[in-house]
Amino acid sequence: MEGKHDAPGEISSLPEKQARRNSSTTERSMTLSNTSKKDVDEEVAQFELNEKLLDEQESSDKDSPEEDVKAVGVLQLFRFATPLDRVLTLAGIFFSCAAGVVNPVMIIIFSKLMGVIIQYTNRSA
């Protein structure tokens, strides 16, 4: 599956770390062709060290939890809320309850209306 390129050189389908590895591999292979054996060995050692560090970083990211989050009560969620925030929250709760009540009421009204229409058509027929 090919990723879409948003801009030249930008790969959107691969994770950032994998893209970084691929680009550094390409750069290393291009620079290795013009260097001596000693330089090549140093470059390979540096590349392997970078690979090892990236692998350790990825494994530590997966193993450790991101952050311990302390649970708070519902009222503590609103400790930084302004009075306007509280009024709007209460209005939202009230109108959502009203919207929940309206649907069953509309069903009752519609069924009574349909009953009246059916009785009217039965009398006139």
Side-chain angles (χ1 to χ4, degrees):
M1 189 160 81
E2 293 182 10
K4 295 181 182 178
H5 297 282
D6 298 328
E10 183 178 327
I11 300 173
S12 60
S13 65
L14 294 175
E16 183 180 323
K17 292 177 184 176
Q18 187 65 34
R20 210 177 334 146
R21 281 186 181 172
N22 291 342
S23 66
S24 66
T25 304
T26 306
E27 291 170 7
R28 300 274 187 225
S29 63
M30 293 171 72
T31 58
L32 287 177
S33 61
N34 298 329
T35 57
S36 67
K37 175 73 173 153
K38 182 179 178 183
D39 292 337
V40 170
D41 291 339
E42 289 175 5
E43 289 285 324
V44 169
Q46 183 65 36
F47 178 74
E48 289 173 351
L49 179 64
N50 288 341
E51 284 285 316
K52 184 179 177 184
L53 290 174
L54 282 173
D55 288 339
E56 288 175 2
Q57 184 181 19
E58 287 175 359
S59 66
S60 69
D61 288 346
K62 292 177 186 175
D63 294 340
S64 64
E66 290 183 17
E67 197 175 296
D68 291 334
V69 179
K70 183 181 174 186
V72 296
V74 176
L75 295 178
Q76 285 182 336
L77 288 175
F78 295 101
R79 65 181 164 207
F80 298 114
T82 64
L84 179 63
D85 291 337
R86 292 183 180 140
V87 167
L88 291 175
T89 301
L90 291 174
I93 291 170
F94 172 76
F95 286 115
S96 65
C97 290
V101 168
V102 166
N103 285 330
V105 170
M106 292 300 285
I107 291 171
I108 293 169
I109 292 172
F110 185 70
S111 66
K112 289 185 179 187
L113 176 66
M114 292 305 295
V116 169
I117 292 172
I118 289 172
Q119 286 176 0
Y120 179 76
T121 55
N122 287 340
R123 274 193 255 158
S124 60

